[in-house]
Amino acid sequence: MSQTVEVGTPPARDERVATKSPFARLMARPEVGALAGAIVIYLIFFAVAPPFRDVNSLATVLYVSSTYGIPAVAVALLMIGGEFDLSAGVAVTSSALVASMFSYQFSANMWIGVLVALVVALAIGFINGYLVVKTGIPSFLVTLGTFFMLRGLNLAITKIVTGNVGTNDVSDIDGFASAQKVFASQFTVGNVAIRITLLWWILFIVIATWILLRTHIGNWIFAVGGSAPSSRAVGVPLNKVKIGLFMAVGFMAWFTGMHILFAFNTVQSGIGIGNEFIYIVAAVVGGCLLTGGYGSVIGAAIGAFIFGMTNQGIVYAGWNPDWFFFFLGALLLGAILLNTYIRRRAEASR
């Protein structure tokens, strides 16, 4: 959203900005609402679910959070850039299917299948971005079409190639063991098993946050999300930025798909449907505006953590799993309302 810069700003306004308290600056951060919501949800499950208090349970929560949080990193960047990707969930499955079937059917080293899947995932992101910037069609509609196409291809091609709705076991293929160490291994800290996806998630959060807050590319992302015409007028390479963001979503979808493949050795063609909404919800809960130009990768990570806590907390609390999505929606809606309230208070104090 463009802002008009006034010449000769009144001294009173300058003094107000200069004397703004650290607390007021903290409250203006987009992830503050998500953090407050996460604390509330954690305390609820900590109180009602004794198993939730165990360190191993926290490790499980963090693992679940990481599997949704890794794609949510790129989805948050894309939303800050003013676009959506509704195909991210099925793109995860597509990546895993391509790697598995390519290596199995061609008796190729597993790493070749992994690289082929990466090329396919980046191509999906590029096509989505190219169609959005060249046609002017809203990304919601473009990626909705991609969603249905990938969903159909995942099922149809898997049936043609394997004669089933899932892929063959690839654990005996050369290169599987080394790829599994990269994408799906675990290690022990004390008596707690930590999945490697947690480390990858933290690394991606750090890189994305650095790009967003410390580089020209980050400024461009905020600019194209705030006002595409204005950013283009001042020389921001709008098309390249948006295509690059869609390709970043493709990359994260590929990485998540590789984890699923090497964690379970086989992939079902119907998984991943609906996960794109979880990625978007994590970003929105984390402070990303649906209109673009505002948000935080750290906030999206907290949003994914909220989902992980809800996902596992309901199980640990012994609640009826049939109510899962109701509780999830209620908790996430509460987090969003809290986030909105805090942001409005911060804006009112400026």
Side-chain angles (χ1 to χ4, degrees):
M1 187 177 296
S2 61
Q3 297 180 342
T4 303
V5 180
E6 299 178 356
V7 179
T9 305
R13 182 182 174 188
D14 286 340
E15 292 172 2
R16 184 167 64 249
V17 173
T19 59
K20 196 173 184 180
S21 69
F23 178 76
R25 291 196 296 269
L26 175 64
M27 294 300 290
R29 292 293 306 164
E31 61 270 8
V32 170
L35 179 60
I39 292 172
V40 170
I41 293 172
Y42 180 84
L43 292 177
I44 289 174
F45 284 119
F46 187 88
V48 304
F52 190 80
R53 306 165 195 168
D54 187 75
V55 178
N56 288 290
S57 298
L58 178 60
T60 302
V61 168
L62 289 172
Y63 166 63
V64 173
S65 302
S66 69
T67 60
Y68 293 99
I70 289 173
V73 167
V75 169
L77 291 177
L78 181 64
M79 290 184 64
I80 294 171
E83 305 294 348
F84 293 91
D85 191 342
L86 297 180
S87 67
V90 290
V92 169
T93 308
S94 298
S95 300
L97 291 172
V98 169
S100 176
M101 290 190 290
F102 186 92
S103 292
Y104 188 90
Q105 297 301 322
F106 292 99
S107 300
N109 186 286
M110 203 66 238
W111 281 103
I112 297 178
V114 169
L115 293 177
V116 171
L118 174 59
V119 172
V120 171
L122 293 177
I124 292 171
F126 176 83
I127 292 171
N128 281 336
Y130 185 83
L131 289 175
V132 168
V133 300
K134 291 299 182 182
T135 66
I137 299 174
S139 55
F140 176 89
L141 297 177
V142 170
T143 58
L144 182 62
T146 308
F147 163 82
F148 284 114
M149 292 173 65
L150 291 178
R151 180 179 178 180
L153 286 172
N154 288 348
L155 179 60
I157 294 179
T158 303
K159 281 187 173 182
I160 291 173
V161 173
T162 69
N164 207 332
V165 295
T167 62
N168 303 100
D169 190 323
V170 295
S171 58
D172 293 331
I173 296 178
D174 291 341
F176 179 89
S178 59
Q180 187 179 53
K181 290 180 181 178
V182 173
F183 296 105
S185 61
Q186 65 180 31
F187 57 94
T188 302
V189 177
N191 295 322
V192 181
I194 306 296
R195 304 294 287 267
I196 198 169
T197 51
L198 177 60
L199 299 185
W200 282 114
W201 184 31
I202 294 172
L203 177 62
F204 291 142
I205 291 169
V206 171
I207 293 173
T209 300
W210 176 77
I211 290 174
L212 197 62
L213 301 180
R214 293 290 183 266
T215 70
H216 290 301
I217 296 175
N219 292 333
W220 293 344
I221 292 172
F222 279 113
V224 300
S227 176
S230 298
S231 62
R232 191 191 297 274
V234 296
V236 174
L238 184 145
N239 291 357
K240 291 181 180 179
V241 170
K242 292 202 172 188
I243 292 174
L245 289 173
F246 277 104
M247 292 181 71
V249 174
F251 175 82
M252 292 300 190
W254 164 79
F255 192 95
T256 307
M258 295 307 96
H259 167 70
I260 292 172
L261 173 60
F262 293 108
F264 301 103
N265 306 342
T266 183
V267 184
Q268 296 297 312
S269 59
I271 65 172
I273 297 172
N275 286 350
E276 57 279 343
F277 295 108
I278 296 175
Y279 309 151
I280 292 173
V281 166
V284 172
V285 169
C288 295
L289 296 182
L290 296 175
T291 52
Y294 184 85
S296 163
V297 173
I298 295 175
I302 298 173
F305 181 57
I306 288 175
F307 176 81
M309 285 194 294
T310 306
N311 185 296
Q312 296 300 118
I314 287 176
V315 176
Y316 294 140
W319 296 345
N320 189 335
D322 293 339
W323 291 87
F324 170 74
F325 286 104
F326 171 81
F327 287 117
L328 175 64
L331 290 171
L332 292 179
L333 180 60
I336 292 171
L337 292 174
L338 180 61
N339 189 16
T340 302
Y341 171 77
I342 291 175
R343 185 164 57 240
R344 287 177 177 173
R345 286 292 301 271
E347 290 174 350
S349 66
R350 292 177 181 175

